[in-house]
Amino acid sequence: MTNRTIQKNSHPFYQDIQQENVRAATSIEYGCVENMIHDSQVVHTKCRERIRTNYTNSIRTIK
């Protein structure tokens, strides 16, 4: 058995995932970002946004 010493956070693939998670998290005001993992690999990132309404100002501004 070989012993791997690769740091996952320094691999370009993981940097892309981190960048995508930051982009998704900063693009929504309320909601969540989920990662689907298969065989220890992130295979899907889902961004779900919740829209909060205010009765006095019901028009939502688009960023």
Side-chain angles (χ1 to χ4, degrees):
M1 184 185 327
T2 60
N3 188 5
R4 289 183 161 187
T5 59
I6 297 172
Q7 292 181 349
K8 289 186 177 184
N9 290 336
S10 66
H11 193 278
F13 176 74
Y14 294 101
Q15 290 175 355
D16 291 343
I17 292 169
Q18 290 172 347
Q19 288 176 347
E20 183 59 27
N21 283 329
V22 169
R23 185 205 60 78
T26 58
S27 70
I28 61 175
E29 191 170 349
Y30 299 99
C32 64
V33 177
E34 299 176 23
N35 289 312
M36 175 131 354
I37 300 170
H38 289 286
D39 295 327
S40 300
Q41 297 289 323
V42 176
V43 296
H44 181 82
T45 299
K46 184 189 317 184
C47 180
R48 294 192 296 175
E49 184 175 10
R50 305 281 183 179
I51 298 173
R52 302 213 175 180
T53 59
N54 184 348
Y55 290 111
T56 60
N57 184 11
S58 61
I59 299 175
R60 180 175 179 260
T61 57
I62 306 295
K63 292 182 181 181

